[in-house]
Amino acid sequence: FPLAPIEAMAAGLVPVVTRETGMSRYIEEGVNGFVVPSGQPEALARVIRRLIVNKKLRRRVGRRARDIYDVLSWKLVVDQIEGIYRK
């Protein structure tokens, strides 16, 4: 489970992840980030080009990406882990 996408999202940056990462389950395609197939650099390039060209999309998705902190803040993660240990 990579931390870099979470940190980027908390900063309002658009995450582009692969399906194989644990982050892909938190990404709504084109809403709060993008998921590309692993090993397909042309798919990654298409998403990057789209974000470069479309400033409104980049800003909108970046704003929505910040919402990840409501789900994956360190406090919430610690509370969840603590709950598991208490059980």
Side-chain angles (χ1 to χ4, degrees):
F1 193 83
L3 293 179
I6 297 169
E7 292 171 347
M9 292 172 81
L13 300 174
V14 178
V16 181
V17 302
T18 61
R19 182 136 334 271
E20 293 76 18
T21 68
M23 277 305 298
S24 64
R25 68 177 161 220
Y26 296 100
I27 302 297
E28 289 181 66
E29 185 69 23
V31 175
N32 67 345
F34 294 89
V35 179
V36 297
S38 181
Q40 294 188 19
E42 55 284 336
L44 175 60
R46 276 193 300 273
V47 170
I48 291 171
R49 270 193 230 94
R50 186 174 170 201
L51 290 168
I52 289 170
V53 171
N54 192 334
K55 186 177 183 179
K56 285 183 181 182
L57 174 68
R58 188 173 64 242
R59 285 185 175 170
R60 185 181 75 240
V61 174
R63 278 193 301 272
R64 291 294 304 275
R66 281 190 199 131
D67 295 342
I68 196 69
Y69 200 72
D70 295 338
V71 178
L72 293 176
S73 71
W74 282 115
K75 168 116 176 68
L76 291 174
V77 171
V78 168
D79 289 348
Q80 290 173 7
I81 292 170
E82 186 177 284
I84 290 169
Y85 281 118
R86 287 187 189 280
K87 286 182 183 178

